Amino acid sequence: MTIVHICLTGVYTEGWTYQENLLSKYHSKMGHDVVLIASTLTYDNSGRKCTTSKSAYKNQDGVFVIRLKEKKDNPDRKFRRFPKLYDTLTNINPDILFVHKMEDVLLWVQTGNAVAITSNRTIEKQNAHVVLREIQMEEARGHDVAMAWHKSNYNPAIALFMEMLEQHCRRQDSSAAAGSNEKEQEFG
């Protein structure tokens, strides 16, 4: 499976222990082909923000890192543009696209280009074009988890994924109930 991590909203530095470092590392250790797409921004050994000249390389964790240059045509810099992002993603054709900033994920959902697992407390509840469907699962007890997608996204994979997720949740619920009954019998 090919997993692409997109880390374009902040600074990516090799060897640190942020989520983009650790998740990509462990996805690679699990045997997946992992690509991390980041800007050229990084921190040097003294903690100063700088740019790297590296453009594509395999890091110490076996993750293939692609550094994209930002197009600096926006003087107020409210939006960052990476003209090569679309072509890069098209060439990789990932099975999973992992975006490391929730605002970016929700933007992709709003435009109909993504499906996300998120909190059901998200602002998306107020967006009439986004469907939020709660997910009840043992692993997320105490958390409000929901699936989000654009109403006009008729991709059949959404229904298939929801069906698989519901089957998983039912299996988890039945094994949790069986484990609870065993404990009651053991201590009853």
Side-chain angles (χ1 to χ4, degrees), residues 114-130:
V115 173
I117 297 175
T118 182
S119 166
N120 74 355
R121 296 180 184 190
T122 179
I123 193 84
E124 289 307 303
K125 277 186 168 180
Q126 300 169 8
N127 187 328
H129 302 290
V130 173

Side-chain angles (χ1 to χ4, degrees), residues 6 9-10 19 99-106:
I6 298 184
T9 56
Q19 67 168 336
V99 183
H100 285 269
K101 185 154 174 135
M102 203 61 215
E103 290 85 355
D104 294 342
V105 171
L106 294 177

Side-chain angles (χ1 to χ4, degrees), residues 147-174:
M147 196 62 194
W149 65 89
H150 195 275
K151 278 184 179 177
S152 67
N153 188 338
Y154 298 109
N155 186 329
I158 295 171
L160 181 61
F161 178 79
M162 288 303 297
E163 184 180 318
M164 290 170 54
L165 184 62
E166 287 169 355
Q167 287 174 2
H168 170 77
C169 292
R170 282 194 295 272
R171 280 194 305 271
Q172 291 296 320
D173 288 345
S174 62

Side-chain angles (χ1 to χ4, degrees), residues 32-63:
H32 300 294
D33 295 322
V34 182
V35 178
L36 187 141
I37 300 174
S39 74
T40 56
L41 289 176
T42 188
Y43 286 106
D44 65 17
N45 291 336
S46 56
R48 289 182 301 236
K49 194 184 289 187
C50 62
T51 58
T52 180
S53 60
K54 294 180 180 179
S55 60
Y57 57 94
K58 192 168 256 193
N59 72 13
Q60 69 273 11
D61 299 317
V63 174

